[in-house]
Amino acid sequence: MLATVKSYGLAGLAGYPVMVEVDSSPGLPHWEVVGLPDAAVKESRERVRAALKNSGFAYPQGRLVVNLAPADLRKEGPIYDLAIAVGTLAASGQAELREFSEATFIGELSLDGQIRPVNGILPMAIDARQRGVKTMVVPQENAAEAAYVEGLRVLGVGTLTELTEILEGTVRAKFALPAKFGKKQGKREGVDFCEIKGQQNAKRAMEIAAAGGHNVLLIGPPGSGKTMLARALPTILPDLTFEEALEVTKIHSVAGQLRESGILCERPYRSPHHSASTAALTGGGMRARPGEVSLAHGGVLFLDELPEFRREALEALRQPIEDGFVSVARVNAKVEYPARFMLVASMNPCPCGNYGDPERPCTCTPYQISRYLARISGPLLDRIDLHVEVARPKYEELHTAPAPEDSQAVRRRVNAARALQKERLAGSGIFSNSQLFGEAFERHCAIGKQASELLKAAFTALNMSARSYKRILMVARTIADLAEEQSIREEHIAEAIQYRTMDRKYWGGGA
């Protein structure tokens, strides 16, 4: 007897339908899985066999052939266990699909018949709904995640026995309620801006970065507050929209790092250790999994002690910073992951950390300083919009009361600036000033004669590149948005220029 059950596969962030065909026929006991299965799929035989027996069902004794179509796409992981088990029950006459004949089944089986959660439910559910699928049966732990897909009926089940009772009609199916996205209100996790003493210039730079999605380099001696500033940044980032939340959640779902809430309500904040490899940052492995740059999509990638990272790992960041995506190519897979993140990096000015400090002498030789700074290449430095010097705070600043302005107050200005950008860039596929290129850049970053003369003088004096020129204008556009100005003025250009002078001070060259 032949039974056909619908399931779903995953290739990167793209889901695709898989038809599970199970044929049970008389003959010597034999099990065969065809359709380019990997080892995990082949091992489903033992999981399905044990789950059926421990759930009170008989395992077919004859010849059993399982085909996963389309046969030209490689099938990976245990996500087909549930569909294979349901197909086996249907092929052996122990269960009928009834009104679930068009449903899609996804889930991993344990030996006792429990249905375990799997990774990547959200991208599969989104693609399934786009293809007209109306009902999806998933593990109970994944139901909250799939329930965010509008128009899709999601049935979360905990055991194989529970599912068969629903299929037979003896137990009523309880579909998950459609989930509604809610922005997290109030105080966010992290360091509040009112806890940071002094550092007004650095806090201003972080506000500009959050408002426009710009990259930031914090450079200063140890203990000056660079890491604290970076940890405070998530508390002032603009609110996450539902469309952004879906895209971010898809990546975390595929990587198996999704929380129980079902969807991410805050922008991600990733802080990998400086020993991280290139593959860990950009993605890779046998299955081409997303790396830190993709897990930080829509949020912040914080690289503490930037010069301590491997040179090849840092250079690999140049392409995703510029393009907003990363291509992970392997022998059997090529996947493209989104990677539009804010890069926030911190570093000391020299190995001992005291170079340029007016109070503490530097013990490094010029050669050591030059070699240390040379770990950051010019092209990478050129892609960072804001270069911020963070001085060691004085005692009087530390001894003062907390600053009156907290993160919520700063975030209100950031949200207002982002609202202006959203209105200005509606329909262009661009969401922040840091993404302004081509025609959009020419239209929205136009400046007057006096502002142009100021920028020309700085361009010549600092020996800037064309990229630096554009990034100054994009930062100036953000400063103008924070000031609720329609046009970019000279004072906006002047403030943006001052964030491009640190490279000349420490690296001794132009941007």
Side-chain angles (χ1 to χ4, degrees):
M1 183 175 178
L2 175 66
T4 301
V5 178
K6 294 181 178 180
S7 187
Y8 239 78
L10 191 65
L13 290 181
Y16 60 92
V18 173
M19 194 68 70
V20 179
E21 301 171 327
V22 182
D23 180 67
S24 179
S25 58
L28 293 175
H30 180 70
W31 168 288
E32 186 69 31
V33 181
V34 296
L36 282 182
D38 70 349
V41 178
K42 292 179 180 179
E43 291 171 354
S44 65
R45 173 183 61 181
E46 302 304 328
R47 291 193 296 272
V48 170
R49 185 200 304 270
L52 292 177
K53 289 184 176 180
N54 291 324
S55 299
F57 299 101
Y59 186 79
Q61 296 301 312
R63 179 180 176 83
L64 203 67
V65 179
V66 178
N67 178 44
L68 306 178
D72 59 338
L73 294 178
R74 187 164 184 80
K75 318 303 185 303
E76 298 178 340
I79 60 178
Y80 308 104
D81 286 1
L82 185 58
I84 293 175
V86 171
T88 302
L89 291 174
S92 59
Q94 301 180 73
E96 294 184 12
L97 296 181
R98 301 176 185 271
E99 65 266 26
F100 288 88
S101 59
E102 296 298 320
T104 295
F105 295 82
I106 302 173
E108 176 186 350
L109 286 176
S110 64
L111 300 185
D112 61 354
Q114 297 286 329
I115 302 177
R116 293 175 173 170
V118 297
N119 298 335
I121 282 291
L122 184 60
M124 289 187 285
I126 292 175
D127 189 87
R129 186 67 191 98
Q130 292 174 346
R131 294 176 185 266
V133 175
K134 297 181 179 180
T135 304
M136 179 172 281
V137 180
V138 301
Q140 187 66 54
E141 290 86 344
N142 292 127
E145 180 182 346
Y148 281 95
V149 181
E150 185 177 357
L152 183 68
R153 292 198 311 168
V154 178
L155 176 62
V157 290
T159 65
L160 188 59
T161 302
E162 176 188 352
L163 175 59
T164 54
E165 291 175 346
I166 293 174
L167 295 178
E168 293 172 357
T170 58
V171 174
R172 184 179 179 182
K174 296 181 179 179
F175 294 95
L177 295 175
K180 294 183 179 180
F181 177 71
K183 299 175 182 177
K184 190 172 182 179
Q185 304 295 330
K187 187 175 181 179
R188 297 179 179 176
E189 296 181 3
V191 179
D192 197 281
F193 257 45
C194 66
E195 301 174 24
I196 303 176
K197 306 295 183 66
Q199 306 297 2
Q200 295 303 318
N201 292 336
K203 288 194 284 188
R204 168 65 175 174
M206 300 303 276
E207 179 180 343
I208 295 171
H214 302 289
N215 302 321
V216 185
L217 173 63
L218 304 172
I219 181 169
S224 57
K226 302 185 297 296
T227 302
M228 193 174 187
L229 284 163
R231 290 176 179 172
L233 182 59
T235 65
I236 66 169
L237 289 178
D239 296 328
L240 201 63
T241 65
F242 178 59
E243 292 74 16
E244 290 176 314
L246 282 180
E247 189 172 21
V248 171
T249 303
K250 284 166 58 177
I251 302 172
H252 286 252
S253 177
V254 169
Q257 299 190 14
L258 192 60
R259 299 177 181 177
E260 296 180 356
S261 62
I263 195 170
L264 292 178
C265 297
E266 289 189 357
R267 296 184 181 273
Y269 177 85
R270 308 291 300 185
S271 180
H273 191 261
H274 60 75
S275 62
S277 65
T278 303
L281 286 179
T282 61
M286 293 183 61
R287 297 183 180 180
R289 293 303 187 192
E292 293 291 338
V293 297
S294 296
L295 293 172
H297 177 69
V300 176
L301 177 65
F302 176 49
L303 302 184
D304 199 7
E305 302 297 342
L306 186 65
E308 302 300 330
F309 282 80
R310 302 176 185 180
R311 179 66 178 262
E312 62 272 15
L314 293 180
E315 294 305 300
L317 297 177
R318 289 161 54 179
Q319 182 259 333
I321 289 176
E322 197 76 13
D323 300 333
F325 66 89
V326 59
S327 297
V328 182
R330 294 295 180 267
V331 174
N332 58 351
K334 183 179 181 181
V335 182
E336 187 175 287
Y337 291 112
R340 194 167 295 283
F341 55 90
M342 285 178 58
L343 174 63
V344 179
S346 69
M347 61 177 291
N348 298 327
C350 68
C352 78
N354 296 326
Y355 177 61
D357 193 317
E359 298 180 358
R360 298 188 181 184
C362 176
T363 60
C364 305
T365 65
Y367 173 74
Q368 289 175 323
I369 297 174
S370 176
R371 184 178 180 183
Y372 180 78
L373 295 176
R375 297 177 184 177
I376 313 301
S377 69
L380 177 61
L381 190 66
D382 204 22
R383 286 168 168 80
I384 301 178
D385 306 336
L386 305 171
H387 306 159
V388 184
E389 189 168 24
V390 184
R392 188 179 282 110
K394 298 183 181 299
Y395 175 81
E396 291 76 13
E397 294 176 326
L398 298 175
H399 195 61
T400 57
E405 190 172 54
D406 59 8
S407 292
Q408 290 190 50
V410 179
R411 189 165 71 248
R412 282 193 290 268
R413 294 197 297 270
V414 169
N415 279 326
R418 283 292 182 107
L420 291 175
Q421 296 168 45
K422 182 178 180 180
E423 181 181 356
R424 183 192 307 126
L425 302 171
S428 64
I430 300 174
F431 305 100
S432 66
N433 289 332
S434 63
Q435 304 171 23
L436 288 172
F437 292 100
E439 183 182 352
F441 172 83
E442 298 295 336
R443 185 188 313 121
H444 302 302
C445 291
I447 57 177
K449 181 178 180 181
Q450 292 182 337
S452 178
E453 291 176 353
L454 176 61
L455 182 56
K456 179 181 178 181
F459 183 87
T460 305
L462 299 177
N463 191 25
M464 293 181 182
S465 66
R467 183 183 288 112
S468 297
Y469 165 81
K470 290 186 175 181
R471 291 189 179 272
I472 284 178
L473 285 174
M474 288 189 286
V475 171
R477 177 67 267 172
T478 300
I479 296 172
D481 289 340
L482 284 170
E484 299 183 353
E485 297 281 354
Q486 292 294 329
S487 59
I488 301 175
R489 301 179 181 275
E490 298 94 301
E491 57 268 26
H492 306 147
I493 292 290
E495 185 176 0
I497 290 173
Q498 74 172 357
Y499 296 120
R500 299 292 301 196
T501 59
M502 288 302 101
D503 54 346
R504 184 174 181 86
K505 175 180 177 179
Y506 291 104
W507 280 266

